[in-house]
Amino acid sequence: MISILRAGDRGHFDHGWLDTNHTFSFGDYHDPRRMGFRSLRVINEDRVRPGEGFGTHGHRDMEILTYVLEGSLAHRDSMGNGSVIVPGDVQYMSAGTGVRHSEFNGSKTEPVHFYQIWILPDETGAAPRYAQKRFDREAREGKPRLVASPSGEEGSLEIRQDARVYAAVARPGETLTQTLAPERHLWVQVLSGELDAGGRKLAAGDGLSASGETALRLTGGAQGGEVLAFDLA
């Protein structure tokens, strides 16, 4: 079974400094029909104005991934980590017993556009941890590139959940194939461009869920398309 959530049907808030879209219930956006998908709890698409950002705040018992599309995002946390996330980087923070962090757009002229994803962990009360890896565009073109997994296989980030996260870029007319084992479930989030999924047109911001399928084929549109795909138990 395949279902599509269109970009325009997400929760949307414009706070001035932050323009945000929520695929699932988050903060002031609550829809009991959209509380997540399997262990995938949050998919937020955020645009932050120059010089603005999220002040220090806390999380616990959540696996958090950040993926920047445009601009750069400065990160600081209570574990002592400080980094700048740019397109091609995937940042991972396991909040565990508790972590405090901030995220800011350090540019005075350019906005930052990024996705933040929360995945429920398979254990609670674990020690917080942090990692960041770069996956160049060339490694993501033409086929799904594993960027996060429970075992850290293929050079991916190791996360605390039976979930495999792939990043992929389809060039115009190019087809990506995402296979799915029995009893697994797939969520695809379109980050940019346009794609065709078996006759279903997908645009930036759209999400697609698939259950009971063996494979999903995505063909890049006139400008190609970029996705994150989540293979979930």
Side-chain angles (χ1 to χ4, degrees), residues 27-61:
D28 292 333
Y29 171 62
H30 180 76
D31 185 334
R33 301 168 301 170
R34 297 178 185 152
M35 297 302 296
F37 179 74
R38 312 301 294 183
S39 60
L40 188 56
R41 178 61 187 85
V42 167
I43 301 179
N44 288 350
E45 180 184 11
D46 293 337
R47 291 175 172 86
V48 176
R49 285 184 176 178
E52 301 284 358
F54 302 87
T56 302
H57 58 286
H59 298 292
R60 61 183 300 126
D61 291 326

Side-chain angles (χ1 to χ4, degrees), residues 192-213:
S192 64
E194 295 180 343
L195 300 107
D196 181 281
R200 303 170 181 86
K201 302 298 184 182
L202 301 174
D206 290 349
L208 178 149
S209 65
S211 298
E213 305 289 331

Side-chain angles (χ1 to χ4, degrees), residues 5-8 10 23 45 115 189-193 202-207:
L5 174 63
R6 296 297 179 188
R10 298 176 294 176
T23 294
E45 180 184 11
Y115 270 81
Q189 186 68 35
V190 182
L191 308 181
S192 64
L202 301 174
D206 290 349

Side-chain angles (χ1 to χ4, degrees), residues 54-135:
F54 302 87
T56 302
H57 58 286
H59 298 292
R60 61 183 300 126
D61 291 326
M62 194 65 69
E63 303 293 278
I64 301 171
L65 297 169
T66 302
Y67 190 96
V68 173
L69 296 176
E70 298 175 288
S72 60
L73 188 68
H75 169 91
R76 297 288 184 274
D77 66 47
S78 56
M79 293 180 281
N81 299 297
S83 66
V84 177
I85 314 160
V86 298
D89 293 342
V90 180
Q91 182 210 56
Y92 164 62
M93 187 173 65
S94 183
T97 54
V99 65
R100 294 180 63 78
H101 74 121
S102 63
E103 292 164 323
F104 277 89
N105 180 0
S107 172
K108 296 181 179 179
T109 58
E110 300 297 328
V112 60
H113 177 197
F114 66 99
Y115 270 81
Q116 189 165 94
I117 295 101
W118 293 9
I119 298 173
L120 297 168
D122 59 12
E123 61 176 308
T124 59
R129 62 187 188 189
Y130 177 92
Q132 185 172 326
K133 287 191 175 182
R134 182 161 189 81
F135 300 90

